[in-house]
Amino acid sequence: SGLSWAGFKKKPMHDAIGKIIGAGKKKDVQHLASAHAAGCHALITGDKDDIWNHRVALYELLGIRVFHSSTEWEQFVAFCNSHAD
């Protein structure tokens, strides 16, 4: 495919996110930093270990609500509907 995470520039929140979820979780750090840079208010994930389990600290840092895809779908939809422009 020719794409890799190596070509992406480090975003300002990378280090702070890495301190929360683990600096070795580069793809997860990149996803969260990109969501923050794009102004996202919510993120849905199936990753309970690295992202969802740290949702409170991530919200405090980034202002992004993290929902688990298989257990919080309805809450995610309600959140999105309540924040629609």
Side-chain angles (χ1 to χ4, degrees):
S1 73
L3 291 176
S4 78
W5 288 110
F8 288 85
K9 290 186 178 182
K10 193 173 185 181
K11 302 228 180 332
M13 294 304 240
H14 273 163
D15 291 337
I17 295 166
K19 286 179 183 175
I20 294 171
I21 67 170
K25 307 292 183 180
K26 292 181 181 182
K27 288 181 182 179
D28 292 335
V29 169
Q30 179 66 36
H31 287 142
L32 289 159
S34 294
H36 179 262
C40 291
H41 297 282
L43 181 111
I44 191 157
T45 183
D47 182 345
K48 272 198 166 182
D49 293 332
D50 301 321
I51 296 176
W52 189 84
N53 281 339
H54 301 285
R55 67 193 178 281
V56 173
L58 290 168
Y59 178 76
E60 290 171 358
L61 176 68
L62 305 171
I64 297 173
R65 290 275 311 268
V66 177
F67 297 89
H68 189 256
S69 57
S70 64
T71 61
E72 297 180 313
W73 178 256
E74 291 178 11
Q75 294 94 324
F76 174 72
V77 171
F79 179 86
C80 291
N81 286 335
S82 70
H83 289 78
D85 291 336

